[in-house]
Amino acid sequence: MARLPPPDSVTDDARRYGLLAHAPGPLRAFLRLYGGLWQDGVVDQATKEVVRLRNARTTGCGYCRNVRFDGARAAGLTEESVALIDDAWATSTLPVRHKAAIALTDVVLGRRDAALDVPFAPAEVVELAVTAALCLGFSKIAVALGTAPADMPVTVVPSPAPPE
Amino acid sequence: MTRLPIDPPVRTLADALALRPELLAGIRELAAALAAEPSLSPALLACCRARVETLVGATSSRPAPPPAPDAELACEFVEQFVLDPHGITDDLVARLAARHSSRAVVTLAQAAALWEGIARLARAFDVPADI
């Protein structure tokens, strides 16, 4: 349950983003950054979704853990693959690229000291690391402010896009 | 040890993020938007940011901020945010909300999220958290 009252004004942002609309300037800046990350990146959405879900399971955000971005689904990330993003990922049948994305995420989250030796270009490494860092923050905000449900059904939503 | 190696090596986090300039610009825009929020004092935010960097083990070129007399409770929230957000209680948020507006509490959470992200990126690339 949310730990703060909702914003007084009923704006589109308040309806869609709840408590975050209390501070509209930072919210819009975040949405531009996060939307651009997903829509204009140099890494495919399926690999970034692996990063996002690895963080979600580590942070324990019930919302982030159960949401799926449709762009990642379209790029081939199946629910069977998602189930392999667990503690046994290293010996799973996940593609090497996705295993490397998990290892990189764990480095950013402080769970691991070194990434796997994988063929990510430097710009891809940066994009994946920023994905992990932003997802970490977003999921922690949801937990801290009490806006994340403890659990919910798996739900496919549109991949984030910059606001118009 | 370089945890996420980049070739050629970089000296600051800004150097690393410049490999994806749109992301660097977006992070800077978000940092500026948070700094421009009128609901929390710059001194309080600086103290909380320093606490985040200490907890994560990141360094930066910013000088240590002077103590802010009203920062203790906000720093307690930020510290728990970094260590384990599940440990943030209704009581802690209620005490924070009794002293600050909802806008300020949300801003503090957003700022903690950004600072922790920046600090963790800096640790991962083994560079100062300067953007």
Side-chain angles (χ1 to χ4, degrees):
Chain A
M1 188 173 141
R3 291 178 163 137
L4 294 171
D8 290 335
S9 57
V10 184
T11 62
D12 282 348
D13 281 353
R15 275 190 290 269
R16 294 186 65 186
Y17 306 109
L19 296 183
L20 294 181
H22 275 299
L27 172 60
R28 300 305 278 182
F30 173 78
L31 293 174
R32 282 191 287 274
L33 170 61
Y34 199 56
L37 171 74
W38 283 92
Q39 297 299 330
D40 303 322
V42 296
V43 179
D44 62 279
Q45 288 202 20
T47 304
K48 282 186 283 200
E49 182 83 326
V50 169
V51 169
R52 189 184 67 78
L53 290 168
R54 178 64 173 176
N55 165 73
R57 291 182 175 187
T58 302
T59 308
C61 172
Y63 176 81
C64 308
R65 200 171 52 225
N66 289 295
V67 158
R68 306 287 183 267
F69 288 165
D70 64 359
R73 281 278 174 100
L77 187 67
T78 64
E79 211 47 42
E80 290 73 25
S81 294
V82 168
L84 299 176
I85 308 171
D86 60 15
D87 288 342
W89 62 269
T91 56
S92 73
T93 56
L94 282 170
V96 170
R97 185 176 175 83
H98 290 173
K99 289 182 180 180
I102 291 172
L104 185 153
T105 303
D106 284 359
V107 170
V108 175
L109 300 186
R111 300 184 70 195
R112 183 186 172 96
D113 283 337
L116 300 180
D117 184 16
V118 290
F120 286 130
E124 291 180 307
V125 171
V126 169
E127 184 169 308
L128 289 169
V130 170
T131 302
L134 291 180
C135 291
L136 173 70
F138 189 82
S139 56
K140 280 192 167 187
I141 290 172
V143 172
L145 298 183
T147 57
D151 204 1
M152 59 181 269
V154 170
T155 305
V156 179
V157 301
S159 297
E164 295 177 359
Chain B
M1 181 180 66
T2 301
R3 296 171 177 84
L4 293 181
I6 290 179
D7 188 25
V10 294
R11 290 187 303 169
T12 68
L13 185 57
D15 291 342
L17 298 183
L19 292 166
R20 288 287 289 110
E22 299 88 350
L23 296 180
L24 175 57
I27 289 170
R28 284 174 168 164
E29 182 193 358
L30 178 53
L34 288 165
E37 270 294 305
S39 54
L40 289 170
S41 74
L44 182 148
L45 289 172
C47 283
C48 291
R49 182 172 188 174
R51 183 75 63 92
V52 170
E53 291 180 345
T54 298
L55 288 169
V56 175
T59 62
S60 77
S61 64
R62 285 184 307 282
D70 60 342
E72 188 174 333
L73 188 55
C75 282
E76 181 182 342
F77 174 85
V78 164
E79 183 167 324
Q80 191 60 54
F81 185 97
V82 172
L83 295 176
D84 178 12
H86 294 277
I88 292 174
T89 62
D90 291 347
D91 176 67
L92 174 55
V93 176
R95 284 188 288 131
L96 200 55
R99 189 173 304 180
H100 301 283
S101 66
S102 293
R103 180 173 184 161
V105 176
V106 169
T107 298
L108 186 65
Q110 290 174 306
L114 179 65
W115 297 330
E116 182 179 358
I118 289 173
R120 291 201 178 279
L121 288 170
R123 282 273 295 164
F125 290 114
D126 278 343
V127 291
D130 296 323
I131 60 163

